[in-house]
Amino acid sequence: MKKIIVGLILVIFTGIIFWIRINPPLEYGTIAGNSEYTSVVIGLGNKGFNDIQITKVYVNNGETPSEVKMQINHPDKGFIVTDDFSSSEAATYDFFSLLDAKIERGTIIGDIYERQDKKQVKEDDKIYGLTILNEQPIYKATIQYRYLGMPYKFEVNVK
């Protein structure tokens, strides 16, 4: 009887891990950039049930971008595309280092947009915008992150 229970728990645990691996929680929505695409903002969301920690970001063919930060703002405020995090326009937005920013669970982009359209956005709702600055135009972003202790990689074609 003990072997059956242990076997059943092992099968359930393996099934859960497999389901999580084939259904990664990170999603993207908005993609905006400056005219040269040397500055890009990618709106990110988390459809999982635990926070996501972005660990690394690469652009194009695995190159390290000049600078990367996460914008965390209220949906009604939106994102800013900036070439300079210290500009006067950017100063009114909240930028965080990747180490200091986790994408909270349940921040499903479609749900937030739907509530925004219906004017039902809550005061504590947040949107997450990965802001990437690079000297060369960005055409692809590769986002590495951790979720439930497991590493993931997610690619976004920017233009």
Side-chain angles (χ1 to χ4, degrees), residues 5 14 32 40 51 71 78 96-97 100 115 121 134 137 141 152 154 156:
I5 292 173
T14 303
V40 173
D51 294 347
Q71 291 185 53
F96 299 89
S97 74
D100 296 331
R115 286 198 312 272
V121 177
N134 199 43
Y152 289 84
F154 188 76
V156 177

Side-chain angles (χ1 to χ4, degrees), residues 16-113:
I16 290 170
I17 296 298
F18 178 74
W19 182 80
I20 289 171
R21 292 301 290 174
I22 64 169
N23 293 299
L26 187 65
E27 63 174 1
Y28 75 96
T30 303
I31 298 176
N34 64 3
S35 60
E36 300 87 27
Y37 276 83
T38 55
S39 174
V40 173
V41 178
I42 303 170
L44 298 175
N46 179 355
K47 60 186 179 183
F49 52 90
N50 200 9
D51 294 347
I52 292 174
Q53 179 69 57
I54 305 289
T55 55
K56 295 266 188 189
V57 175
Y58 298 101
V59 295
N60 304 334
N61 295 316
E63 301 143 25
T64 301
S66 303
E67 204 166 353
V68 179
K69 292 197 179 198
M70 182 74 74
Q71 291 185 53
I72 304 175
N73 298 307
H74 189 269
D76 290 339
K77 186 171 190 175
F79 300 128
I80 184 172
V81 176
T82 184
D83 296 324
D84 181 6
F85 291 121
S86 61
S87 71
S88 59
E89 296 98 12
T92 62
Y93 288 80
D94 295 323
F95 290 95
F96 299 89
S97 74
L98 295 183
L99 292 175
D100 296 331
K102 290 186 180 184
I103 302 172
E104 293 179 6
R105 64 185 170 97
T107 52
I108 301 168
I109 293 170
D111 291 352
I112 291 171
Y113 287 156

